Amino acid sequence: MIDRGVERSWPAGRIDPDSPEAPSRVISRAGCEFLLAISAEGIRTFGSLPRAIFFKAIVTANVQHITRSAVRTWRYARLDQIAPESERRPVSILGLAQSLHRPFETTRENVNALIGEGLVVKKEGGVIVPTEVLLSDLVVAMDDRLWRSFCEMIASLKSLNFDFSVVLGEAVESSAVVIQDHFMPSLSTRSPRRLVSRVISEFYLGSAVEANAQHGDDWVMGQVSTGFIMANSAAWRLDPEQAWLFSKAKSPMPDSLQAPASIAQVARLTGLGEKLVRRKAHDLVDAGRLTRLRGGFLVSIDYMNGPEIRAGAAAIVSAFYRMIRDLKALGVRL
C-alpha cells in the first residue's frame, strides 16, 4: 500500500519498461523535471542549450570507458579523484554528432565555439575537456546542480512511495554504498559523487536526445514544450493519490486536472528568456500542440497522449531503468 490508502498499480517483482503495467508516467514526469533543471542550469551557464549539451557530451564521452570499468570507475569515484588527462579519451566530432543525432556541421560549429572559449581543446583523435576546466567554478557548479537534481528526482519518487524493486527486481543488500534520504544533499568529498555523476550524465544525455527527437534540431522547442507540460501538471503530479491514479501509459490525465501555465512560469522552469518562450509558445499553438486560454497556455490533451509524447516518455523511462541498473551494477543502492 502507498500513502493515503492508494494501492500500487503493478504486481510485485521487476517490470520491463515497455510493459503496459510499468508506472511509466510516474517515472517520465520525474525524469522530465530532472531534465528541465539540468538543461536550465546549462542555459544559465553557457547561454545556449545546444552549447551546454555538447559540452556535457564531450565530458561524458571522455570518461565513458572509465564509467564502464568496474575497477577504474571506483578509482575515480570521489570528488577529489579526478581522472588525469592521460586516462581520458578524446572524442571525434563525427562520434559526437552520431551520439547526439546532430548534423556534422552543427556539431563542428558548436565544438569550435567551445574551443574558442577555451573550454575544450583539440587532441589527437578528437577533443577533450582539460583538467583545469573540469575543476573550474563554472563546471563544479554545473556538477553540483546535476547531483542535487538527481537527489531531488530520487527523493520525489520516494515521496510517492515508488518501489525501486520494479526496476531492479530484488533488494541489493551487499551494495558498496547506500544513497539514503539523509545522504541525498551530501557534498562530502568522500562520497562517490563523481562515479554516480558519470552515470547520471549518461542518463541526462540519452533522455535529452531521445525525448527531443520529435523536435528535430530544435532542442529549445523541446525545452519549452516540456516546460509547459510540467507547469500544467504542477498542482497534482506530486500528490501520491493522483500520481498513481495516472501512473501507466494507458491511464492519461484528464484536462480537468491541468492548470494553464504563464510565459513567466515556463521561463523560470526552463532557464530561457520570456521573449523566446513566448515565440516558441506561439509556434506550438500554430502546430496544434498548445492551446491559449485565459490565464496561460495548456498542452493539448491529444498531443499529450499522442505517439510523439509517448515515444519521448518511453525513451526517458528506458534510460531511467538503464541508469538505476547501472548504478546497481556499480554497487550503489538507492
Side-chain angles (χ1 to χ4, degrees), residues 50-84:
R51 196 75 49 81
I53 291 177
F54 279 111
F55 178 82
K56 175 58 73 176
I58 295 169
V59 173
T60 301
N62 291 161
V63 295
Q64 190 173 48
H65 61 293
I66 294 175
T67 306
R68 296 304 174 200
S69 168
V71 174
R72 280 189 289 186
T73 200
W74 280 102
R75 185 183 301 160
Y76 305 112
R78 303 197 311 257
L79 286 179
D80 58 349
Q81 295 173 318
I82 189 168

Side-chain angles (χ1 to χ4, degrees), residues 115-163:
I115 291 173
E117 294 170 14
L119 297 172
V120 171
V121 296
K122 290 182 179 179
K123 295 280 186 178
E124 183 179 355
V127 293
I128 195 170
V129 176
T131 300
E132 59 268 25
V133 173
L134 291 176
L135 295 175
S136 68
D137 290 344
L138 176 143
V139 175
V140 169
M142 278 188 64
D143 287 345
D144 282 350
R145 186 54 185 156
L146 179 77
W147 175 257
R148 289 182 183 278
S149 295
F150 167 74
C151 294
E152 288 164 4
M153 176 176 63
I154 299 302
S156 173
L157 287 169
K158 286 186 174 184
S159 74
L160 295 173
N161 289 322
F162 180 82
D163 186 353

Side-chain angles (χ1 to χ4, degrees), residues 8 16 54 66 94 152 155 170 190 192 206 226 303 307 311 320 326:
R8 276 189 296 198
D16 289 329
F54 279 111
I66 294 175
L94 178 60
E152 288 164 4
E170 59 184 14
R190 297 190 63 80
T226 303
Y303 174 57
F320 178 84
D326 284 350

Side-chain angles (χ1 to χ4, degrees), residues 274-293:
E274 290 190 19
K275 287 184 178 179
L276 179 55
V277 172
R278 183 174 289 106
R279 186 167 71 249
K280 296 295 183 182
H282 290 155
D283 290 342
L284 288 167
V285 170
D286 292 342
R289 297 176 175 183
L290 204 62
T291 302
R292 185 165 192 166
L293 302 172

Side-chain angles (χ1 to χ4, degrees), residues 254-311:
D255 263 340
S256 59
L257 285 178
Q258 308 287 73
S262 69
I263 296 296
Q265 277 180 281
V266 174
R268 286 193 298 270
L269 271 177
T270 61
L272 298 165
E274 290 190 19
K275 287 184 178 179
L276 179 55
V277 172
R278 183 174 289 106
R279 186 167 71 249
K280 296 295 183 182
H282 290 155
D283 290 342
L284 288 167
V285 170
D286 292 342
R289 297 176 175 183
L290 204 62
T291 302
R292 185 165 192 166
L293 302 172
R294 187 170 185 175
F297 296 83
L298 199 66
V299 176
S300 161
I301 200 68
D302 289 337
Y303 174 57
M304 273 292 296
N305 298 312
E308 293 176 328
I309 287 290
R310 293 181 69 168

